[in-house]
Amino acid sequence: MTPVIDIHMHVLPPRMLKPAVLEFARRSYQDFARLEKFSSDPMAFLNFLDAAGVERAGLVTSVSPEVIGHTAEVNDWNARYCAAAPGRLIAFGSVHPDYVSDAAAEVDRLVSIGIRALKLHPPHQLFAPNAYRDGLGPLAAIYARAQNLGLPVMIHTGTSVFPGARNLYARPMLADDVGVDYPDLVVILAHGGRPLWMNEAFFLVRRHKNMYMDVSGIPPQKLLEYFPRLEEIADKVLFGTDWPGPGVADVRGNIEKFRALPLRPEVQRKILCENAARLFPASK
Ligand SMILES: [Zn+2]
């Protein structure tokens, strides 16, 4: 059977969360107890991946001091955590344009500690993905550096119900400018704009040569309702769960539901593994 890459998971110590967010996570994460355990024990997490049938995982973090509570410290934490199994764990890091003095230098630093992709979370970081057009200069520096280095950038799209999230920034179409201005930058639209803006995400993935999307946070059994023409973008879709996010109870169950979809076997292989393996070669 095709190995699975889950490109969108979260493992971080709950102590880094703001109190209101911690409270929200306790209430809405079905796997909160396991999250706590895994954050201090990478081997336990790897066993969990084995049991779920996941070969490799993208561990996603974003610097979001105002809404979530994460400072730049999360980058170092995540790089260290993923170093426990560099062949299996793909570290995503984040540069918040409002909290760095030299954004390009911070991108370089993240690469030097083992970060393999950047994450932007506009509704939690409180700026639009195209805010560089309105004067947010460091954001342009981040995209330009990432493009030069061949570092993929994941941009959260779709609503967030975390306390304090601002969903005006969550629209996929705000990333259209990024595709126009940084055509060689690999952009992954997380969650495909779910649940309000799937059409925008689909349009952007088709329009821009290097724009991809992940399907994390979308109940797999509903995927083809949301994206009836998914097969047309089969080369640019990445499987992900968003575990342990709200409503994501079971990684193995999500994979089984995905495999049960009426998609051609080669399409399944591309989405479950091949596309992500191309963006994140295991040898690196
Ligand atoms: Zn996520």
Side-chain angles (χ1 to χ4, degrees):
M1 213 180 306
T2 323
V4 174
I5 301 178
D6 183 337
I7 202 61
H8 194 134
M9 303 182 90
H10 300 281
V11 177
L12 279 170
R15 67 170 163 84
M16 289 183 183
L17 300 171
K18 288 176 74 153
V21 176
L22 181 60
E23 182 47 39
F24 173 84
R26 266 192 224 286
R27 254 187 297 121
S28 59
Y29 287 15
Q30 299 187 44
D31 260 348
F32 186 82
R34 277 204 287 197
L35 172 65
E36 270 194 305
K37 178 175 162 46
F38 295 162
S39 70
S40 60
D41 187 353
M43 289 308 145
F45 180 61
L46 293 170
N47 290 338
F48 170 75
L49 294 183
D50 288 339
V54 174
E55 176 89 20
R56 300 174 67 204
L59 293 192
V60 179
T61 60
S62 46
V63 174
S64 166
E66 298 102 323
V67 174
I68 302 298
H70 291 149
T71 65
E73 177 198 2
V74 292
N75 293 313
D76 303 86
W77 189 94
N78 202 32
R80 266 198 315 276
Y81 190 87
C82 292
R88 296 189 67 186
L89 303 178
I90 303 161
F92 283 63
S94 161
V95 181
H96 194 305
D98 291 337
Y99 291 85
V100 285
S101 52
D102 183 339
E106 176 67 356
V107 174
D108 290 346
R109 187 186 78 81
L110 297 191
V111 170
S112 77
I113 63 172
I115 296 293
R116 296 193 56 186
L118 299 179
K119 170 78 182 291
L120 242 71
H121 201 309
H124 292 176
Q125 295 181 314
L126 308 181
F127 58 83
N130 65 346
Y132 60 90
R133 287 180 47 83
D134 298 317
L136 190 60
L139 183 56
I142 292 165
Y143 289 136
R145 196 54 149 218
Q147 179 173 254
N148 276 342
L149 295 170
L151 198 64
V153 175
M154 177 184 280
I155 301 178
H156 173 101
T157 63
T159 54
S160 165
V161 292
F162 276 73
R166 296 190 187 267
N167 284 300
L168 209 54
Y169 300 128
R171 288 192 79 136
M173 197 54 82
L174 294 167
D176 184 50
D177 284 328
V178 183
V180 172
D181 295 326
Y182 304 94
D184 295 325
L185 178 67
V186 169
V187 172
I188 302 164
L189 302 172
H191 319 302
R194 101 164 136 108
L196 300 180
W197 304 298
M198 322 302 246
N199 291 342
E200 292 187 10
F202 182 76
F203 167 79
L204 292 176
V205 170
R206 293 184 77 218
R207 178 183 186 203
H208 297 292
K209 178 169 60 90
N210 285 306
M211 216 168 264
Y212 294 70
M213 69 177 203
D214 79 35
V215 298
S216 69
I218 302 170
Q221 68 276 18
K222 290 201 162 179
L223 186 58
L224 290 174
E225 277 173 44
Y226 284 136
F227 293 99
R229 292 161 64 194
L230 189 73
E231 294 206 343
E232 287 179 37
I233 53 170
D235 290 316
K236 298 169 82 183
V237 178
L238 312 179
F239 179 79
T241 58
D242 204 21
W243 183 92
V248 184
D250 179 14
V251 174
R252 170 173 276 283
N254 272 20
I255 294 169
E256 280 164 8
K257 285 178 193 146
F258 180 85
R259 289 196 204 271
L261 291 172
L263 292 167
R264 284 179 289 128
E266 65 267 33
V267 169
Q268 295 246 354
R269 278 200 306 275
K270 285 175 179 180
I271 296 175
L272 284 172
C273 178
E274 290 169 5
N275 295 336
R278 204 167 59 243
L279 295 182
F280 300 99
S283 54
K284 233 178 130 184

